[in-house]
Amino acid sequence: MASPSKAGAALAALREDLVGDVFAPGDPGYDEARAVFNVMIDRRPAVIAQCVDEDDVVRAVRFGRELDLNIAVRGGGHSVAGMAVNDAGLVVDLRHMRAVSVNPGAEAVRVAGGATMSDLDRACQPHGLATTGGRASTTGVGGFVLGGGSGWLDRWCGLAVDNLLGVELVTADGERVHASADENPELFWGLHGGGGNFGVATALTLKLHELPVFSIALVLYRPEFGPEAVRTYRELITAAPDEASGGVLYLTGPPEDFVPPHLVGTLLCGALLTYAGPEEDMRKLAEPLLALPHESEIVGVMPYADVQCMLDDPPGMRNYWSAEYLTSAPDEYLDAFCAGGEALPPTGTIHVLFPQGGAIAAGPHEYPVPYRDAPWAVHPFAIWENPADDERCVSWVRDVRAAARPWSTGAVYLNFIGDEGAERVVAGLGPENTRRLADLKRRYDPDNVFRFNHNIRPA
């Protein structure tokens, strides 16, 4: 560690040189700058550098290296494990770097490193274009994409990394690097699932797809009809075209427009059918779900960017998530899924079963995304406000995982989980891929400066 005098001089120089704001403990605005969406995370960085452009990022990283500080990178700050902040280190905060530039003719978009999913979706929508995005509008695009990227469009146009055309990166040495299929191809490979291990992604270029119309059916059922609704959805989606996606979920009715007032606070089972196409085609698919006894329905065309906001997790809550990827979803497993739903803590928690297949399974298998072939994923998503509910909610998530284990492929999508240890990181990348990524890590970050992530240790 640097001496106090050297650290003080370096911090003064950073405040002078950085175009963006710099926060240290005791500064006005410091506590606001270090807060992330999961209030279980309460970390105190030594310095927060709120960068406004790539030059600022270079300055910040070089400052961190000069003082031998560990570096966390904040895009959306949506990591459930709080990987966007650290204790006594440097946070490179990209939230002021949110520009999105759409090139309709090339069907491509350049997204700055601090942009959220809402920034991306809203910019693309006027052009009738979209790409696979996270299922919450507040998710940061950078971490989402580099971690793999699963969303409502993935069965149709692939995982987010399957649509990655290029990344602009600032490395641990403070150098600018561009990675694409033609330039630094090994690094480009590693960025398809390897997350923030190799540097600060200041911009990403993504392939876009024509999406002139998007349709949904959201049907809510009393829990006694849940098992039948879940089985019906399984049969429907198994035979559906790739344009169809969605999931089945248990939730406590939130005070949102899609929940009738008399169902707010009530345990519900929901079936969400999303469709990258016209309402007429979606309605034909949804008929079996609508034929079951249900409490409410929303059926019709809805802008994709609006659908992306439907299941946003509220800020200021405590969060604990996990996931299992499944070899199949037979009746025996669906019974276990519904039992987990019946035991749902009534705190805002959501219990979701997502379909995969389609373009996910058909996508390039050379990337470090070993969950690609699993036909289903279960995602227990605990959200609560009162710390007294910590044990109850965490135990529920672990119980859901344990119930799914007989059908687990062993692989996992790392963006869906918190810090569950080194073995789960390997499960999220694949053993052979992990060895290759460790060699890449040694080349680009031999000192493991970027360790506040699902970490890959240098070989």
Side-chain angles (χ1 to χ4, degrees):
M1 295 295 290
S3 67
S5 59
K6 180 182 178 182
L11 178 59
L14 183 69
R15 291 187 192 274
E16 181 71 24
D17 295 342
L18 208 77
V19 178
D21 294 324
V22 176
F23 295 94
D27 289 348
Y30 170 79
D31 284 331
E32 182 181 355
R34 70 184 180 87
V36 291
F37 92 104
N38 184 2
V39 300
M40 295 182 81
I41 308 301
D42 183 20
R43 296 183 184 144
R44 301 187 63 83
V47 180
I48 301 169
Q50 292 192 331
C51 303
V52 301
D53 56 22
E54 189 177 57
D55 289 343
D56 265 3
V57 174
V58 170
R59 294 183 188 105
V61 169
R62 290 178 177 171
F63 161 83
R65 295 310 308 273
E66 179 186 355
L67 297 187
D68 195 26
L69 295 173
N70 290 321
I71 300 175
V73 182
R74 178 169 187 158
H78 208 262
S79 154
V80 69
M83 293 170 178
V85 285
N86 56 25
D87 282 316
L90 168 67
V91 172
V92 177
D93 187 339
L94 306 179
R95 282 178 292 170
H96 293 304
M97 299 171 59
R98 297 177 66 166
V100 178
S101 177
V102 181
N103 184 336
E107 294 191 342
V109 59
R110 183 184 185 274
V111 186
T116 65
M117 207 55 60
S118 185
D119 296 326
L120 171 61
D121 296 335
R122 299 289 178 194
C124 294
Q125 191 157 282
H127 303 283
L129 297 168
T131 194
T132 299
R135 296 176 178 91
S137 68
T138 51
T139 302
V141 175
F144 167 77
V145 173
L146 300 184
S150 167
W152 303 128
L153 298 179
D154 54 12
R155 281 172 41 87
W156 175 56
C157 60
L159 297 168
V161 284
D162 299 342
N163 294 281
L164 184 61
L165 300 175
V167 182
E168 293 161 42
L169 206 71
V170 174
T171 68
D173 292 331
E175 300 297 326
R176 296 171 171 86
V177 174
H178 183 264
S180 66
D182 299 321
E183 192 175 356
N184 298 303
E186 183 68 5
L187 175 60
F188 189 57
W189 171 84
L191 294 170
H192 284 70
N197 273 281
F198 307 106
V200 184
T202 56
L204 302 91
T205 303
L206 302 169
K207 180 182 178 182
L208 296 175
H209 304 261
E210 292 187 14
L211 185 65
V213 62
F214 192 71
S215 311
I216 72 160
L218 175 61
V219 191
L220 297 179
Y221 308 88
R222 295 282 186 183
E224 56 265 33
F225 297 106
E228 189 175 1
V230 169
R231 284 171 170 74
T232 300
Y233 179 84
R234 176 193 60 189
E235 300 306 318
L236 175 159
I237 204 69
T238 300
D242 295 350
E243 288 85 352
S245 188
V248 283
L249 65 157
Y250 281 82
L251 74 167
T252 303
E256 299 285 354
D257 291 344
F258 64 87
V259 178
H262 71 283
L263 296 178
V264 172
T266 301
L267 179 64
L268 299 167
C269 177
L272 173 63
L273 178 66
T274 63
Y275 194 79
E279 178 181 349
E280 179 183 1
D281 295 343
M282 181 274 297
R283 279 186 177 272
K284 291 177 184 175
L285 278 176
E287 282 177 2
L289 294 172
L290 295 167
L292 299 176
H294 58 278
E295 296 298 306
S296 72
E297 62 182 70
I298 297 174
V299 184
V301 171
M302 182 178 290
Y304 170 67
D306 291 354
V307 176
Q308 288 282 75
C309 303
M310 286 182 66
L311 295 178
D312 281 0
D313 46 333
M317 303 289 279
R318 305 170 77 79
N319 284 253
Y320 184 83
W321 319 336
S322 195
E324 289 290 341
Y325 279 70
L326 310 176
T327 57
S328 61
D331 287 351
E332 187 180 0
Y333 172 69
L334 295 186
D335 289 343
F337 172 78
C338 294
E342 292 276 359
L344 188 85
T347 57
T349 291
I350 302 174
H351 185 32
V352 195
L353 182 66
F354 294 120
Q356 292 216 119
I360 307 169
H365 277 65
E366 65 267 25
Y367 297 135
V369 283
Y371 48 87
R372 183 184 293 280
D373 290 329
W376 294 93
V378 61
H379 183 27
F381 193 104
I383 309 170
W384 67 102
E385 189 171 14
N386 189 340
D389 287 325
D390 284 4
E391 183 176 352
R392 174 190 187 186
C393 290
V394 171
S395 294
W396 174 81
V397 170
R398 291 173 176 166
D399 288 347
V400 167
R401 273 196 66 201
R405 211 156 281 139
W407 296 275
S408 174
T409 67
V412 68
Y413 170 42
L414 294 175
N415 284 352
F416 271 174
I417 70 172
D419 183 1
E420 296 183 1
E423 289 186 5
R424 284 283 269 178
V425 174
V426 175
L429 301 169
E432 291 185 18
N433 292 329
T434 300
R435 288 187 284 271
R436 183 175 167 186
L437 288 163
D439 289 337
L440 192 65
K441 179 77 168 179
R442 184 183 68 237
R443 178 177 168 188
Y444 284 96
D445 184 13
D447 299 321
N448 203 15
V449 172
F450 299 113
R451 67 182 64 180
F452 294 93
N453 44 43
H454 290 292
N455 194 232
I456 300 162
R457 294 186 176 275

